[in-house]
């Protein structure tokens, strides 16, 4: 929840959230302050502390299933007191902890490597995008191996000057969002769900819930004018689908006659984001406005050149996205492997457990020889 200059619990304490994120099992590696919705769990001398944590996480879904559906959710301590876990000999408990700790460390190392690779690719993409959208001729001497763009016939125009219409959306409450109905976008989804372009809405609503309807269509640019970060305020994306959709509150819709993909990429450059962030003050909530959006200046080459540049950037963008999509897949696969290890080690199937322990010991021996 935050920081406090005192503590009432020591490190290596098992915690269970009793309200809100009710039932979540955690393991605190540092001294901390437990508030009134934080349950602390301490085993007796027959149970290894870390083993108890792993045994509880193995039943995480079962614990979640037994939270009361109140507002907010909470987990009864009476249920937790009656919760049963498998309890082998203390030496076996510690062997299980050793294997699961090792696997957790390996997973963390893999995640760090994949994240570093993704970061490098993302930086490479951003350089390539900014390069292709920088029409200053002198900059091209920096990267002779990258395809050149035509710097002639480029005009620098304000968004307000290229807009055929620009307006704010109308509020759509979270409770009014459904899986079926009229497609819609709420401003938070621009930050969390959509990339530079998208063609399908993840949310839908009943248009009867929105008295002052604001629509957007193919090619329109959407800006989120409320956010939590100065660095990301007014994030934008182009809608390339064919449905007629509703724009939620704190969204600005830009209609224009430019290439929508090109315009979306031009509005995502480092330079464009600096313009969006200019003059904004960091606080819990950051706001932009229609006049601020209208003042953003972007380079506007002829439509034919816009399409060519957009296609070049899109190819590289897709490559980065493939890597980005691969990262969660890799982590998910490793998480499933970890859960398999944990569930086998915590099962009463002695044959499978003994085999897994043998495999893990052989892996550690091979790793030690390599070192």
């Amino acid at each position: 929840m935050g920081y406090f200059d005192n503590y009432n619990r020591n490190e290596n304490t098992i915690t269970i959230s009793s309200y809100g994120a009710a039932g979540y099992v955690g393991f605190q590696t540092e001294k901390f302050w437990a508030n009134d919705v934080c349950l602390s769990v301490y085993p007796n001398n027959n149970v290894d502390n870390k083993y108890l944590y792993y045994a509880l996480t193995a039943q995480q879904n079962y614990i979640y299933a037994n939270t009361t559906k109140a507002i907010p959710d909470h987990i009864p301590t009476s249920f937790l007191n009656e919760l049963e876990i498998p309890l082998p000999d203390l030496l076996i408990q510690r062997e299980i902890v050793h294997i699961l700790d090792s696997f957790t460390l390996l997973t963390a190392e893999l995640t760090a490597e994949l994240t570093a690779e993704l970061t490098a690719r993302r930086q490479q993409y951003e350089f390539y995008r900014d390069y292709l959208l920088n029409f200053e001729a002198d900059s091209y001497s920096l990267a002779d191996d990258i395809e050149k763009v035509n710097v002639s016939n480029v005009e620098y125009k304000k968004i307000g000057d290229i807009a055929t219409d620009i307006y704010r959306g109308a509020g759509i409450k979270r409770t009014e969002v459904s899986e079926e109905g009229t497609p819609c976008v709420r401003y938070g989804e621009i930050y969390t769900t959509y990339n530079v372009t998208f063609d399908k809405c993840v949310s839908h609503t009943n248009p009867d819930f929105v008295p002052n309807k604001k629509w957007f269509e193919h090619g329109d640019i959407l800006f989120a004018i409320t956010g939590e970060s100065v660095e990301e305020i007014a994030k934008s994306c182009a809608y390339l689908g064919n449905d007629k959709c509703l724009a939620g509150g704190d969204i600005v819709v830009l209609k224009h006659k430019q290439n929508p993909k090109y315009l979306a990429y031009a509005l995502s450059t480092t330079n464009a984001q600096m313009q969006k962030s200019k003059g904004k003050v960091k606080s819990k909530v950051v706001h932009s406005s229609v006049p601020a959006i209208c003042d953003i200046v972007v380079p506007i080459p002829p439509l034919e050149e816009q399409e060519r540049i957009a296609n070049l950037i899109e190819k590289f963008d897709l490559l980065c996205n493939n890597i980005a999509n691969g990262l969660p897949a890799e982590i998910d696969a490793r998480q499933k492997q970890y859960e398999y290890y944990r569930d086998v080690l915590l099962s009463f199937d002695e044959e499978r457990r003994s085999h897994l322990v043998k495999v893990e010991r052989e892996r550690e021996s091979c790793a030690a020889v390599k070192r």
Side-chain angles (χ1 to χ4, degrees):
M1 294 183 66
Y3 293 92
F4 186 62
D5 57 4
N6 205 341
Y7 66 92
N8 59 6
R9 298 290 185 273
N10 287 315
E11 63 271 20
N12 301 324
T13 297
I14 301 168
T15 58
I16 300 177
S17 175
S18 62
Y19 281 84
Y24 177 77
V25 179
F27 190 83
Q28 312 308 323
T29 59
E30 298 178 313
K31 295 176 180 178
F32 67 102
W33 185 276
N35 68 6
D36 58 350
V37 298
C38 176
L39 302 175
S40 305
V41 185
Y42 300 97
N44 62 33
N45 293 334
N46 296 322
V47 185
D48 181 274
N49 188 42
K50 199 66 177 290
Y51 171 84
L52 177 58
Y53 164 70
Y54 284 128
L56 287 170
T57 58
Q59 299 195 58
Q60 181 68 85
N61 290 336
Y62 177 64
I63 294 172
Y64 280 149
N66 281 273
T67 59
T68 62
K69 301 307 173 185
I71 300 178
D73 290 357
H74 69 275
I75 186 79
T77 53
S78 58
F79 164 76
L80 295 172
N81 282 330
E82 297 299 320
L83 187 65
E84 294 185 351
I85 61 167
L87 195 61
D89 181 80
L90 197 57
L91 289 176
I92 295 177
Q93 292 179 39
R94 289 169 180 164
E95 177 73 16
I96 291 171
V97 168
H98 171 77
I99 292 174
L100 292 179
D101 278 352
S102 298
F103 204 88
T104 300
L105 180 61
L106 285 173
T107 301
E109 290 173 350
L110 173 66
T111 301
E113 290 175 7
L114 292 172
T115 302
E117 172 68 16
L118 177 61
T119 299
R121 290 298 183 112
R122 176 54 59 183
Q123 290 172 343
Q124 188 180 13
Y125 159 74
E126 289 174 355
F127 170 82
Y128 185 69
R129 176 203 62 202
D130 289 358
Y131 175 87
L132 287 173
L133 290 165
N134 182 353
F135 293 89
E136 300 297 330
D138 292 344
S139 69
Y140 294 126
S141 62
L142 299 174
D144 292 334
D145 57 332
I146 297 180
E147 186 169 350
K148 303 296 186 289
V149 298
N150 185 357
V151 299
S152 64
N153 299 321
V154 175
E155 297 181 87
Y156 285 83
K157 294 185 176 182
K158 291 184 177 182
I159 292 297
D161 293 333
I162 66 171
T164 59
D165 198 1
I166 186 166
Y167 50 87
R168 290 187 60 161
I172 300 172
K173 298 177 182 177
R174 184 190 300 273
T175 54
E176 296 171 348
V177 173
S178 58
E179 294 183 1
E180 298 180 350
T182 299
C184 66
V185 171
R186 301 176 76 239
Y187 83 90
E189 296 168 349
I190 294 177
Y191 291 110
T192 62
T193 304
Y194 301 119
N195 194 16
V196 181
T197 64
F198 71 105
D199 57 12
K200 287 189 181 300
C201 298
V202 298
S203 298
H204 299 77
T205 191
N206 183 339
D208 293 340
F209 293 150
V210 188
N212 186 22
K213 302 173 183 59
K214 299 296 182 180
W215 301 94
F216 65 91
E217 300 174 287
H218 177 88
D220 292 346
I221 308 292
L222 306 183
F223 297 83
I225 59 169
T226 296
E228 298 177 356
S229 167
V230 171
E231 294 76 19
E232 291 187 337
I233 188 62
K235 181 179 181 293
S236 52
C237 54
Y239 175 62
L240 301 180
N242 296 313
D243 292 326
K244 189 176 180 180
C245 313
L246 285 167
D250 290 331
I251 288 177
V252 165
V253 179
L254 167 66
K255 291 186 175 293
H256 58 92
K257 293 184 178 180
Q258 309 302 317
N259 181 293
K261 281 197 295 187
Y262 170 84
L263 198 53
Y265 285 125
L267 285 163
S268 69
T269 62
T270 302
N271 178 271
Q273 190 56 56
M274 288 174 62
Q275 294 183 67
K276 294 175 183 179
S277 302
K278 185 178 179 180
K280 302 298 185 293
V281 178
K282 189 170 185 178
S283 62
K284 289 184 179 180
V285 180
V286 184
H287 296 286
S288 187
S289 64
V290 170
I293 299 298
C294 287
D295 278 342
I296 298 170
V297 176
V298 291
I300 303 294
L303 285 171
E304 183 179 343
E305 186 68 3
Q306 288 184 30
E307 183 175 6
R308 192 176 76 85
I309 293 171
N311 289 338
L312 288 171
I313 298 174
E314 184 178 41
K315 289 178 182 178
F316 207 80
D317 193 12
L318 288 172
L319 173 62
C320 287
N321 284 333
N322 287 339
I323 295 171
N325 291 335
L327 174 62
E330 286 283 343
I331 296 173
D332 184 57
R334 185 55 66 102
Q335 179 64 23
K336 288 178 180 177
Q337 189 178 13
Y338 157 76
E339 291 173 358
Y340 171 79
Y341 266 56
R342 181 196 63 198
D343 293 348
V344 169
L345 290 169
L346 293 170
S347 72
F348 293 97
D349 190 330
E350 194 60 42
E351 183 177 347
R352 291 172 68 204
R353 185 163 62 187
S354 298
H355 174 71
L356 197 152
V357 170
K358 180 181 177 182
V359 168
E360 182 61 18
R361 285 302 184 211
E362 289 175 352
R363 185 197 63 76
E364 290 182 349
S365 297
C366 291
V369 170
K370 288 181 180 179
R371 287 196 294 270

